Amino acid sequence: MNNLISNAGYFLTFILIILIGCTDSSSKEGVHMSFEDVEFITGFPLEFNLNERFVPKVNNVGLREIKILDNYLILEKMGGSWAIYSLPDLTILGSFLKRGDGPLEFMQGPSLNKVSFEKENDDLIAYLYDFQKGRAMKFNVSQSLSSKEQVLSEYESKLPPFSFSFAKLDSNTFFVKELGTRDTQQLRYIIKNGQKESLDIADELNQTSIREGEDFNILSTLMGYSGINDRIVEAPIGLNNINIYSIDGSFAKTICLGEGLSDITKIQSQFRWNRLYTFANLTLFKDFFGVVFINEDDNTYQLMRKKLPCILLFDYNGKPLTKIQTGKHFTSFDIDFVNQELYTFDVHSDEFFKYDFKEVISKL
């Protein structure tokens, strides 16, 4: 009898070990590029449908991105050059930034979504990242427009080339994100006075990895930095969540557009064209930021685009503010707050539209 009881005890212990092991394994299933604090977005308090549209009279052939600052509309062309127009009359003011291998030229033009814009002594300054050469360039937009000649100089040469993200945090500090560990991770850190320093708040994101040889764009994100709010915003191009965090480490949050976070393990098991394309554009403003939400698999998006995109606006704590639909396809947007107009552009069709945005601004 004692042997039976003893054997039964061993059996129960064995079963408990298995159950505990299964529980631990289940809780760790899936790989997510997110923080511990996750909020699932179920809706937006405001929704707008903008139906009346206008066509701005600008040369939008070969256009890639748009940016609105002060009374300027900046158009980034495919080659990397910038055409700058005045608002609201859309008078061409000048074209700048040349491609080439010269000391003040770019082998690949600086992307508008990797530019840090600042005001210095009432001048609009753009800090540009040189992708191939690994340096930051200082472009005085105001003086260039005034003199009709490009006012451009090298600002910082001790930056890594081929960085996926770039932001100027202060006069001698930069945020960068680059590939690491044989292209299985994307690592975020800062460079201060030319020296690399870790960014502890981003450890959870940095540790996320994919299989060696897999498409590293699974971990790619659109990134922006708001110095006013001390917030980094990262919107992955193939995941359904947005990560928001502060450089000083006081804030870190993930907002998810769906019932569950995108599982990177499952994504890697999918055929490339069946993977989701979520966010096409990220634009930061003073009090909130916005994304272009695509939410369509790559194959459908590239061949026929069945779903119409929308603009989703959030505050810097991740609170959903507004969902905006236009009834048209577009890949990027920006807002002219002075004239209260919304601009959208579609890189696939070259369609460039303008909408009255007064009602939306009044309710934000």
Side-chain angles (χ1 to χ4, degrees), residues 119-344:
K119 271 299 192 66
E120 297 178 8
N121 300 319
D122 292 329
D123 282 349
L124 177 62
I125 307 295
Y127 289 92
L128 317 173
Y129 175 66
D130 190 334
F131 185 75
Q132 272 81 9
K133 297 179 181 179
R135 59 179 180 170
M137 306 292 285
K138 182 178 181 179
F139 175 40
N140 191 313
V141 179
S142 300
Q143 289 185 16
S144 297
L145 292 173
S146 176
S147 65
K148 303 299 180 183
E149 293 192 9
Q150 184 169 277
V151 181
L152 178 69
S153 60
E154 185 172 295
Y155 184 77
E156 173 59 64
S157 60
K158 296 179 180 179
L159 296 176
F162 312 114
S163 173
F164 273 60
S165 297
F166 162 85
K168 179 176 174 289
L169 306 181
D170 60 37
S171 61
N172 58 3
T173 309
F174 301 86
F175 170 96
V176 296
K177 177 163 68 74
E178 63 177 351
L179 288 171
T181 320
R182 298 185 298 277
D183 295 350
T184 63
Q185 294 174 295
Q186 291 197 10
L187 306 177
R188 300 149 182 82
Y189 57 88
I190 60 176
I191 293 178
K192 188 168 186 175
N193 296 318
Q195 301 298 314
K196 180 178 176 180
E197 296 183 6
S198 62
L199 184 59
D200 294 341
I201 189 68
D203 280 349
E204 292 175 82
L205 307 183
N206 288 344
Q207 290 170 11
T208 307
S209 64
I210 56 174
R211 293 191 301 261
E212 193 167 346
E214 206 11 300
D215 180 8
F216 54 75
N217 283 309
I218 292 175
L219 304 180
S220 291
T221 64
L222 305 165
M223 172 268 171
Y225 173 66
S226 170
I228 298 174
N229 301 281
D230 183 33
R231 291 287 192 272
I232 292 268
V233 180
E234 290 195 46
I237 62 175
L239 308 178
N240 68 349
N241 59 277
I242 299 171
N243 295 313
I244 311 168
Y245 55 101
S246 60
I247 295 295
D248 66 10
S250 63
F251 183 87
K253 186 174 184 178
T254 295
I255 52 178
C256 177
L257 297 169
E259 297 179 353
L261 290 166
S262 293
D263 186 341
I264 292 172
T265 302
K266 292 181 179 178
I267 291 173
Q268 292 177 97
S269 68
Q270 291 178 316
F271 179 61
R272 170 68 178 83
W273 290 105
N274 293 334
R275 296 173 182 177
L276 199 63
Y277 180 27
T278 50
F279 302 109
N281 180 246
L282 168 68
T283 306
L284 273 59
F285 306 100
K286 179 182 176 182
D287 299 315
F288 55 86
F289 68 89
V291 291
V292 175
F293 189 46
I294 301 294
N295 196 34
E296 194 161 47
D297 68 79
D298 274 346
N299 183 61
T300 304
Y301 182 77
Q302 296 295 337
L303 297 180
M304 60 195 78
R305 294 201 291 175
K306 292 182 178 179
K307 293 183 180 179
L308 288 172
C310 61
I311 297 169
L312 305 178
L313 301 183
F314 303 86
D315 71 16
Y316 284 100
N317 291 320
K319 177 184 176 183
L321 301 176
T322 305
K323 177 180 180 181
I324 301 163
Q325 296 174 308
T326 66
K328 297 291 289 186
H329 284 287
F330 58 93
T331 52
S332 61
F333 81 101
D334 210 337
I335 301 170
D336 176 2
F337 286 94
V338 175
N339 300 289
Q340 300 187 349
E341 293 175 322
L342 170 75
Y343 286 77
T344 67

